Amino acid sequence: MIRARIIGCGAFLPDNVVTNDDLAKRVDTSDAWIQERTGIRQRYIAKEGQNTSDLALGAARAALTDAGIDAGEIDFVIVATTTPDRSFPSVATMVQSRLGMSHGAAFDVQAVCSGFIYGLSLADSLIRTGQARTILLIGAETMSRLLDWSDRATCVLFGDGAGAVVLQAHDGKGDNSDQGILNTRIYSDGRLHDLLYTDGGVSLSRSAGLLRMQGKEVFKHAVTNIAAAIEASAAAAGIPISAVDWFVPHQANQRILDGTARRLGIDPARVVSTVASHGNTSAASVPLALVTAVKDGRIKRGNLVLLEAMGAGFTWGACLLRW
Ligand code: ACO
């Protein structure tokens, strides 16, 4: 059986760090409030002129170096993003060209904070059906460009960044001992689209609009949906949740991470958290957290790793893999 294995990963963050105290100079908030309600201490914000494709390219180059391959081997470039440089062409085609590629195919996936999990699901299918051997999957965002910097309830939550993985086809036995993606589960419920959205868009207003959110409602759905996705992914593999070595969640809010762990009886020490330093980077948050835990040596070859996310739409999902 063909398995999609992650053979390299990399991240890229803008230089510009914005602390909670920096934000308290712009809106009526405080470091204490932000830390207590969200766990966030700082976020990275791209400077004017530094766009999503720049962050995506940085993460892509780091992942290719880590994988020890060059762009010539890539069949597909997929970018999960909600904040493309332009309405078109896609960020993925910009990355493709800047990597010097004129072969293969490149396109974006838009599922907001779940975009990277949706991308993994798609990449896994493309590899297992033999349509691709090697895929570069990137989650990249400049969420700062969608924020209303006068709305303290949302502008403190988000940040910019990018993370990338290189997936490659490898033979497996078809059981849980295989290295690579074991399963993915993706879901959406469009009835809930008005709890988290932008108040504009190309067709609606000829502009991107600004992010609007009913935070309390989003919070409630997040814990329920993420827990259900984790349970579904573990059940599909026929393993108890306790068999998973590392959980790599979407980094929205430390309280969502803690609430989900409590609900499922997961030891918080097995949950990778980067929300304090990155904030919520939407589709970039799962790969940024993954890269952090791989590079600091927590995630080791052979570990069972469960990635999960939930975002606007609502969209949510999980991916179980053996590293
Ligand atoms: N600083 C100080 N006070 C604030 C701030 C701020 N930055 N933001 C809101 N407040 C105030 C509110 O105005 C309110 O004041 P009031 O009582 O005088 O009316 C008070 O704090 C409480 O506001 P709530 O919205 O009830 O605060 P809550 O405890 O729900 O925390 C938060 C808000 C952090 C947004 C929380 O609801 C949350 O994290 N929700 C999840 C949303 C999320 O993570 N979205 C990301 C995208 S979706 C995803 O990624 C899963």
Coordinates of all heavy atoms in Angstrom, one line a residue, residues 15 27 109 114 150 156 172-173 179 206 240 242 301 309:
D15 N 10.3 38.9 10.9 CA 11.2 39.4 11.9 C 10.5 40.1 13.0 O 10.9 40.1 14.2 CB 12.3 40.3 11.4 CG 13.2 39.6 10.4 OD1 13.4 38.4 10.5 OD2 13.7 40.3 9.5
V27 N -4.8 49.6 21.6 CA -6.3 49.4 22.0 C -6.3 49.2 23.5 O -5.3 48.9 24.1 CB -6.9 48.1 21.3 CG1 -7.2 48.4 19.8 CG2 -6.0 46.9 21.4
V109 N -5.6 26.1 -1.4 CA -6.8 25.5 -0.7 C -7.2 26.5 0.3 O -6.4 27.1 1.1 CB -6.3 24.2 0.0 CG1 -7.4 23.7 0.9 CG2 -6.0 23.1 -1.0
S114 N -8.5 25.5 9.2 CA -8.3 24.0 8.9 C -7.6 23.8 7.6 O -7.5 22.6 7.2 CB -9.7 23.4 8.8 OG -10.5 23.8 9.9
S150 N -8.8 48.3 15.5 CA -9.5 49.0 16.6 C -10.4 48.0 17.4 O -11.0 48.4 18.4 CB -10.3 50.1 16.0 OG -11.4 49.6 15.2
V156 N -6.0 41.0 19.0 CA -5.0 40.5 19.9 C -4.7 39.0 19.6 O -3.8 38.4 20.1 CB -5.3 40.7 21.3 CG1 -5.5 42.2 21.6 CG2 -6.6 39.9 21.7
G172 N 4.1 0.9 2.1 CA 3.8 0.5 3.4 C 3.1 -0.9 3.4 O 2.7 -1.4 2.4
K173 N 2.9 -1.4 4.6 CA 2.3 -2.7 4.7 C 0.7 -2.6 4.7 O 0.0 -3.6 4.6 CB 2.7 -3.4 6.0 CG 4.2 -3.9 6.0 CD 4.5 -4.7 7.2 CE 4.7 -3.7 8.4 NZ 5.2 -4.3 9.6
Q179 N 5.0 4.0 8.4 CA 5.4 5.4 8.5 C 4.6 6.2 7.5 O 4.5 5.8 6.4 CB 6.9 5.6 8.3 CG 7.6 6.7 9.0 CD 9.0 6.8 8.6 OE1 9.6 5.8 8.2 NE2 9.5 8.0 8.6
R206 N -15.7 44.2 -3.4 CA -14.4 44.5 -4.1 C -13.2 44.7 -3.3 O -12.3 45.4 -3.7 CB -14.7 45.8 -5.0 CG -15.7 45.6 -6.1 CD -16.0 46.9 -6.7 NE -17.2 46.8 -7.6 CZ -17.1 46.6 -8.9 NH1 -15.9 46.6 -9.5 NH2 -18.1 46.5 -9.7
P240 N -6.7 3.4 20.7 CA -7.2 4.3 21.7 C -6.5 5.6 21.6 O -5.3 5.7 21.2 CB -6.9 3.6 23.0 CG -5.7 2.7 22.7 CD -5.8 2.3 21.3
S242 N -5.2 7.2 23.9 CA -4.0 7.2 24.7 C -2.7 6.6 24.0 O -1.6 6.8 24.5 CB -4.3 6.3 26.0 OG -4.7 5.0 25.5
R301 N 11.1 9.9 15.1 CA 10.7 8.9 14.1 C 10.0 7.8 14.8 O 10.5 7.3 15.8 CB 12.0 8.4 13.3 CG 12.4 9.3 12.2 CD 11.5 9.4 11.0 NE 11.7 10.5 10.2 CZ 10.8 11.1 9.4 NH1 9.6 10.7 9.4 NH2 11.1 12.2 8.7
A309 N -7.4 20.6 13.6 CA -7.7 22.1 13.5 C -9.2 22.3 13.3 O -10.0 21.4 13.0 CB -7.0 22.7 12.3

